[in-house]
Structures are given as C-alpha cells and as structure tokens.
Amino acid sequence: MTPPRRKRRRPQHPSPPPAPAAKPAGGAEKPGNPERLYTIAGSADGKRAELDLVTLIVARSAPPLSASPEVAAVLRLCTAPLSMAELSAYLQLPFSAMTVLITELIQAELVQARAPIVRQAAFDRSLLEAVMHGLQRL
C-alpha cells in the first residue's frame, strides 16, 4: 500500500493594503459610527427612569410621522410587551442609550413601562387542593 500523495502548500503573498482614503478638506476625519449615541438619545436634563433589563415596555400608540427611526422602531416592536434587554438587542444599542430613549418616550406618554409578570405570584388552585386532599388522607 502506498501512502497518499499530499500537495505542498505554497506560501501566499498577502494582498497589498488598501489605499488610504482621502481626508476631507477641513482636516477632520469622519468617525466610523456616523451617529453618536448622544444624538440618538439626546436628553437635555440627563434624568432617567428607573428601568432594568427585565422591565417590560408596551407602546401606547403608533409612531408619529415626525419620529426618529429609533423611536419608530421601538414603537413598532413594542406592540406586544418587550423587555429592555430584548429592545436593546433588537436595535443594537447599548442599554444606557436605550434607557435614555425609553425615558423620553415615557415622558412623552408614547410607551408604558411595567414590572415583569411574576408567574409564581398566582397560586394554582388545583395544586393546592391536591396537596390538601393528600394531607387529609394521611
């Protein structure tokens, strides 16, 4: 039996680096991210609502025509309750920017924030009756 023949790998030459982009006439370079977070979530007073990652956000109305793309996206997504963590992930914005954005929407009464629904708070009556009957049989 003869061993398999292997092909030798030839070293590949790296491609030349791309040519540097021309700088604008003013000398200032354009940032990589065209919109800074403070323009998306521009708050004048800096106050924020008490929100955490599991706070549910529900839209109260449809997005107005004058709404920014982020506000319109939040209002469209929140027709059903969504947590702050989900909104932050869907819009690819950090939680801090989402907090400021949602605070502005709460103040404008476009969304409502509510605590998550805790399923353990409501007792299952059939389970309690089964336990009671089991104890009575003892």
Side-chain angles (χ1 to χ4, degrees):
M1 181 179 235
T2 60
R5 299 182 109 191
R6 297 184 184 181
K7 292 184 180 180
R8 279 194 163 175
R9 294 184 188 177
R10 307 249 185 248
Q12 295 180 354
H13 299 291
S15 60
K23 291 185 179 180
E29 292 186 33
K30 281 188 156 184
N33 186 359
E35 293 212 30
R36 297 288 183 189
L37 293 178
Y38 60 83
T39 61
I40 294 172
S43 179
D45 57 2
K47 294 183 182 179
R48 295 184 186 182
E50 296 286 330
L51 301 170
D52 58 359
L53 290 171
V54 294
T55 302
L56 296 176
I57 307 298
V58 183
R60 289 185 169 182
S61 65
L65 295 175
S66 62
S68 68
E70 291 82 15
V71 170
V74 167
L75 293 176
R76 278 193 305 270
L77 286 170
C78 290
T79 54
L82 278 179
S83 69
M84 286 288 293
E86 290 172 314
L87 282 173
S88 180
Y90 287 145
L91 297 178
Q92 298 177 349
L93 291 173
F95 179 71
S96 57
M98 281 303 303
T99 305
V100 175
L101 186 63
I102 296 298
T103 300
E104 290 178 359
L105 293 175
I106 290 171
Q107 291 173 351
E109 297 182 356
L110 293 173
V111 297
Q112 177 185 7
R114 55 184 198 199
I117 300 168
V118 180
R119 300 222 182 257
Q120 297 171 350
F123 297 106
D124 186 8
R125 185 176 174 95
S126 63
L127 176 65
L128 292 176
E129 288 176 354
V131 170
M132 184 179 72
H133 292 303
L135 290 174
Q136 287 174 348
R137 281 187 226 153
L138 291 174

